[in-house]
Amino acid sequence: MSNSTSSLFTTPSQFLVLQCSNPLIHSSTNITAKLSIKIRASSASSSSSSATAGVDLSTLQTAISKKDSNAVKEALDQLVENGWARKWSSQPYVSRRTTSLRELTTLGIKNAENLAIPSVRNDAAFLFTVVGTTGFLGVLAGQLPGDWGFFVPYLIGSISLVVLGIGSTNPALLQAAIDGFSSFFPDYQERIARHEAAHFLVSYLIGLPILGYSLDIGKEHVNLIDERLEKLIYSGQLDSKELDRLAVVAMAGLAAEGLKYDKVVGQSADLFTLQRFLNRSKPSLSKDQQQNLTRWAVLFAASLLKNNSKLHEALITAMANKASVVECIEAIEKAA
């Protein structure tokens, strides 16, 4: 990655090459460890325990099961009228403005100037472990008697070369190994849950229906679907209003990590997702406008997360416990 990626002044288009190859531990995260805010549905597990006393959530559950975004919105709107879903679409209006890095730091984002630098923590740890382990075993094998003391260390040492060869010819396979290795980091699961819960919560607050999510290794994502937005995205006709909403959702995971940790490791997929939306927007934004949109979206998402920290923590717990989408929504509303 070039030096031009040293801050959020970098235009998101320079991150296209990273795609979703660095999952939240990676993070991210599309709309991949991943956002992955995918504009396709994911099935949500049904649960009869999701109903709150005095509130019928069966209509909502049915809509989610059918992957019907319009029905999901109607069910949630009805719950708002019934006085229950108070947080659904409670922040529907977003308005972009000029934003500086100082504002991100003032809000509580750690190392704001480095947010856009992709983390190599997992890659470096994996390669160091492979090289270090094979080197150590090679030294021990060198003590074997006779020809064994020559051939065995040679074979063990070649493992590192094989790993590098796989990374050159099939990066996805190497990434899968790195993703699995990353799960040994103590903060792995907490980072994933915090990152994806941020996408979920911000989407809910803004009024974009959620149909599913996953915290599985290499498949971390939150699935959103809105038929109207889907058509605008595919036709390349996203206007500035809808672009702003989607940008805030896309940057939510990065913002959540930035508020909690000194180093963000799941930003690649989030930035790739944002660039996807930018490429589908009309009118097109200049590089300076894209840079400002990135900073503003991080700031706005971080503000929502800070102002709704109890909801975020409750949702993290629910998602970590593999709660269904309806149960996650219930956790949000109970914490409100």
Side-chain angles (χ1 to χ4, degrees):
M1 187 61 60
S2 66
N3 292 335
S4 62
T5 62
S6 60
S7 78
L8 279 178
F9 284 101
T10 303
T11 179
S13 61
Q14 296 174 351
F15 293 90
L16 274 172
V17 294
L18 294 175
Q19 211 162 5
C20 302
S21 60
N22 184 26
L24 182 52
I25 317 203
H26 128 280
S27 148
S28 232
T29 315
N30 216 274
I31 19 174
T32 201
K34 294 168 180 174
L35 180 50
S36 297
I37 300 179
K38 301 177 181 175
I39 307 299
R40 70 172 187 265
S42 171
S43 60
S45 61
S46 59
S47 173
S48 60
S49 62
S50 63
T52 302
V55 179
D56 182 9
L57 302 181
S58 60
T59 301
L60 175 60
Q61 180 62 71
T62 299
I64 293 174
S65 299
K66 291 182 177 180
K67 306 177 182 65
D68 188 334
S69 63
N70 289 331
V72 171
K73 293 173 69 174
E74 290 175 3
L76 287 168
D77 288 342
Q78 184 60 53
L79 289 170
V80 172
E81 292 183 12
N82 294 340
W84 184 76
R86 294 175 294 168
K87 288 299 179 177
W88 162 249
S89 196
S90 57
Q91 296 286 337
Y93 303 109
V94 296
S95 180
R96 189 191 322 168
R97 63 173 178 79
T98 302
T99 304
S100 67
L101 287 175
R102 181 182 295 275
E103 289 182 89
L104 297 178
T105 301
T106 300
L107 183 64
I109 296 289
K110 300 176 174 61
N111 297 319
E113 67 279 3
N114 296 322
L115 283 180
I117 301 178
S119 171
V120 296
R121 182 189 75 167
N122 304 322
D123 306 58
F126 175 77
L127 293 177
F128 177 81
T129 300
V130 171
V131 174
T133 300
T134 55
F136 177 72
L137 292 177
V139 171
L140 292 181
Q143 308 305 312
L144 294 174
D147 292 341
W148 289 105
F150 171 76
F151 288 109
V152 174
Y154 178 80
L155 292 174
I156 292 177
S158 66
I159 292 176
S160 297
L161 297 178
V162 170
V163 170
L164 293 176
I166 292 175
S168 299
T169 59
N170 193 341
L173 186 59
L174 178 60
Q175 188 61 51
I178 293 175
D179 293 345
F181 177 81
S182 299
S183 63
F184 291 100
F185 282 103
D187 65 351
Y188 176 77
Q189 288 296 341
E190 201 278 339
R191 270 186 184 265
I192 290 179
R194 181 170 297 278
H195 186 106
E196 302 306 331
H199 290 309
F200 191 120
L201 178 59
V202 171
S203 300
Y204 187 77
L205 295 175
I206 286 179
L208 295 177
I210 302 98
L211 296 185
Y213 72 91
S214 174
L215 302 184
D216 294 339
I217 295 175
K219 298 179 180 179
E220 304 89 340
H221 66 266
V222 171
N223 282 350
L224 309 180
I225 187 167
D226 184 296
E227 294 180 4
R228 184 178 64 84
L229 287 178
E230 185 177 13
K231 292 178 180 178
L232 291 175
I233 291 171
Y234 286 132
S235 64
Q237 299 296 320
L238 274 178
D239 60 29
S240 59
K241 176 183 177 181
E242 298 301 349
L243 175 61
D244 288 354
R245 296 174 71 208
L246 290 173
V248 172
V249 175
M251 292 294 96
L254 185 157
E257 285 195 69
L259 287 170
K260 178 71 173 181
Y261 306 105
D262 292 330
K263 180 66 176 177
V264 175
V265 298
Q267 70 277 72
S268 297
D270 290 2
L271 290 165
F272 175 80
T273 296
L274 177 58
Q275 184 61 54
R276 176 182 175 226
F277 295 143
L278 287 169
N279 291 342
R280 296 288 185 172
S281 65
K282 293 292 182 181
S284 299
L285 301 184
S286 67
K287 289 185 178 180
D288 288 342
Q289 289 174 323
Q290 290 184 29
Q291 293 162 11
N292 182 68
L293 173 63
T294 304
R295 293 192 297 269
W296 168 79
V298 172
L299 180 69
F300 196 94
S303 297
L304 287 180
L305 293 172
K306 285 197 71 173
N307 292 335
N308 296 278
S309 59
K310 290 183 179 180
L311 279 62
H312 189 205
E313 294 298 331
L315 183 56
I316 291 172
T317 300
M319 293 176 71
N321 291 329
K322 302 185 182 301
S324 68
V325 173
V326 171
E327 289 170 336
C328 287
I329 291 175
E330 185 177 356
I332 292 173
E333 295 298 341
K334 282 185 175 180

